[in-house]
Amino acid sequence: MEEKGLKEHELLSPEDGAGFGLKRELIWEWNQNVLRSRFSNTPVGFQTEKQKEEALAEWKRKQEIYRNAHEYALCFKALPDIASGEHFVGREAELEHLGRLFSEKEGRKVLLYGMGGIGKTSLARQAARYMKECYDGILWLSCNMDLLHTICDDTQISIANLAWHAGRYRNHTEYFWKKWDVLCSLVKEKKVLLILDDMNNLRDRKLPLLWKLPCDVLVTSRNCRAEWMREQKGGQEVTAVFVEPLREERDWEAFYRSYSPVPLSREQTGKLGGVPEAGSWEYLADASGSLQSGFVRYSRRRTGGAGGLLSSDKCSECIGYPASAVSVADTGGRN
């Protein structure tokens, strides 16, 4: 009669039972079964092996009920669905690089940064699917608010037997620290990847806590500044990975092929930023008559002249591709 370190000939003290996460009634019943097993030649002892097995099965059933009602456990959810019509091309090197980073070291902390719309979320989403077999579970958090409210949001991080209740906690700060302590203890027991998408609030004072979590962490952000790395004492080194626009001609061609069976000509690929020739952006703007000079200057400043900031309607206007094609980088609101 053994159960997770418990042995049939060992009686449990209240302290030992608490160490196994057992309540008083379960400790008492375990000890009763141990004594019945020891003194099987008495009227109250187990007369047959079947009686002993049935008693243990009943004890396990009660223990499972108690654990389900009292023990904390992470509830992993399905990863975010791929957006309808979304195609992932041209980021294979970045994907493999992320895989190497997280496989080389446990507790790795990685920051994916780049301008809005460049593809950080798509890359993080694909990385999660690429590495999911390496983890017991992956937690995906959309950071629409600060870290305190993101962690307190029970729809984003669901922990069994732990939930916000105004009658139990004085405020969200108290609940945050309770949930954070529980989260830290749970991710120690499993191999977990925590992904925080679109975390851009550099003034959040709780940011340094992320780097001290005992699990792998992947953050996407538009920012990479000293504020991210401050107060890291006792935490892990943070590896920053810059997500830049597509630069290779073959990547651009693969991108446009994913939305249209008509292949791009070499001239079109060059114009759209694969390996642009001098003045190609100005030529494209002048030829189509649809791009404003302000947008052209913006694209050059943000991408070093590499281009890659055409929105779907501009793709349609300039090279005849359907407006269903999505942009691969932020246009900054300039059309």
Side-chain angles (χ1 to χ4, degrees):
M1 186 175 71
E2 297 186 5
E3 168 66 17
K4 294 186 178 180
L6 301 175
K7 301 183 183 301
E8 65 175 73
H9 61 277
E10 292 182 352
L11 294 170
L12 287 175
S13 67
E15 293 77 13
D16 293 336
F20 284 107
L22 303 177
K23 66 175 181 176
R24 182 178 59 183
E25 290 80 2
L26 287 172
I27 297 172
W28 180 86
E29 189 170 335
W30 175 268
N31 288 338
Q32 185 182 49
N33 289 337
V34 169
L35 292 174
R36 293 182 67 190
S37 180
R38 284 185 185 180
F39 302 101
S40 57
N41 58 343
T42 65
V44 296
F46 292 127
Q47 302 301 311
T48 65
E49 191 66 28
K50 183 179 180 180
Q51 280 186 334
K52 183 191 297 186
E53 292 175 357
E54 289 176 348
L56 177 59
E58 178 63 14
W59 185 87
K60 286 182 177 180
R61 186 187 69 82
K62 293 179 180 179
Q63 182 198 32
E64 187 66 20
I65 293 174
Y66 177 78
R67 284 183 173 175
N68 290 339
H70 293 84
E71 286 193 349
Y72 299 126
L74 279 171
C75 303
F76 295 105
K77 301 178 181 179
L79 294 172
D81 292 332
I82 300 297
S84 176
E86 178 179 293
H87 298 270
F88 185 81
V89 295
R91 298 291 187 192
E92 290 76 13
E94 291 93 330
L95 198 59
E96 292 178 3
H97 180 51
L98 288 175
R100 286 194 300 271
L101 286 176
F102 284 108
S103 64
E104 290 172 353
K105 179 182 178 182
E106 290 190 2
R108 174 76 76 174
K109 308 297 186 290
V110 175
L111 170 65
L112 277 180
Y113 72 100
M115 62 182 176
I118 199 66
K120 302 181 295 295
T121 297
S122 294
L123 180 56
R125 193 160 46 220
Q126 290 293 337
R129 286 174 167 77
Y130 180 72
M131 301 183 294
K132 67 179 181 180
E133 300 301 327
C134 302
Y135 295 93
D136 297 318
I138 296 177
L139 294 173
W140 180 286
L141 309 183
S142 297
C143 301
N144 301 318
M145 299 179 287
D146 58 16
L147 187 61
L148 183 148
H149 289 90
T150 299
I151 297 297
C152 288
D153 186 350
D154 292 326
T155 64
Q156 296 221 57
I157 297 185
S158 180
I159 299 178
N161 301 311
L162 181 65
W164 162 255
H165 192 288
R168 181 175 299 176
Y169 302 98
R170 291 174 296 177
N171 49 50
H172 280 89
T173 299
E174 181 180 355
Y175 179 58
F176 169 84
W177 288 114
K178 172 63 177 179
K179 193 172 184 180
W180 185 263
D181 290 341
V182 171
L183 178 64
C184 289
S185 64
L186 291 176
V187 297
K188 284 181 181 179
E189 301 170 359
K190 296 179 177 290
K191 187 171 176 58
V192 175
L193 172 62
L194 176 64
I195 301 177
L196 297 102
D197 182 43
D198 204 24
M199 176 164 279
N200 302 306
N201 184 6
L202 297 181
R203 297 182 179 180
D204 192 335
R205 295 183 178 181
K206 289 183 170 55
L207 285 182
L209 292 173
L210 289 177
W211 315 135
K212 299 177 183 179
L213 271 174
C215 68
D216 291 349
V217 177
L218 175 63
V219 176
T220 72
S221 176
R222 299 181 184 184
N223 304 294
C224 181
R225 302 178 187 173
E227 288 91 330
W228 281 106
M229 315 302 178
R230 68 187 177 191
E231 301 178 19
Q232 283 192 60
K233 186 179 295 184
Q236 297 283 343
E237 177 184 354
V238 181
T239 303
V241 177
F242 176 58
V243 182
E244 58 183 349
L246 298 177
R247 293 185 178 275
E248 297 294 332
E249 182 176 335
R250 63 177 180 273
D251 293 336
W252 271 112
E253 184 173 354
F255 172 75
Y256 283 100
R257 276 181 180 273
S258 67
Y259 291 98
S260 173
V262 182
L264 282 172
S265 67
R266 190 175 185 84
E267 180 183 7
Q268 288 172 321
T269 304
K271 290 176 183 178
L272 291 173
V275 187
E277 301 172 354
S280 62
W281 277 102
E282 287 80 3
Y283 171 78
L284 180 60
D286 295 338
S288 66
S290 61
L291 295 181
Q292 300 175 0
S293 59
F295 176 83
V296 175
R297 287 195 296 272
Y298 173 79
S299 67
R300 282 181 169 276
R301 181 174 68 254
R302 294 292 293 273
T303 67
L309 295 179
L310 286 180
S311 61
S312 58
D313 57 330
K314 301 308 177 186
C315 290
S316 180
E317 292 177 21
C318 297
I319 60 174
Y321 276 84
S324 60
V326 299
S327 60
V328 294
D330 181 30
T331 62
R334 296 176 172 86
N335 290 313

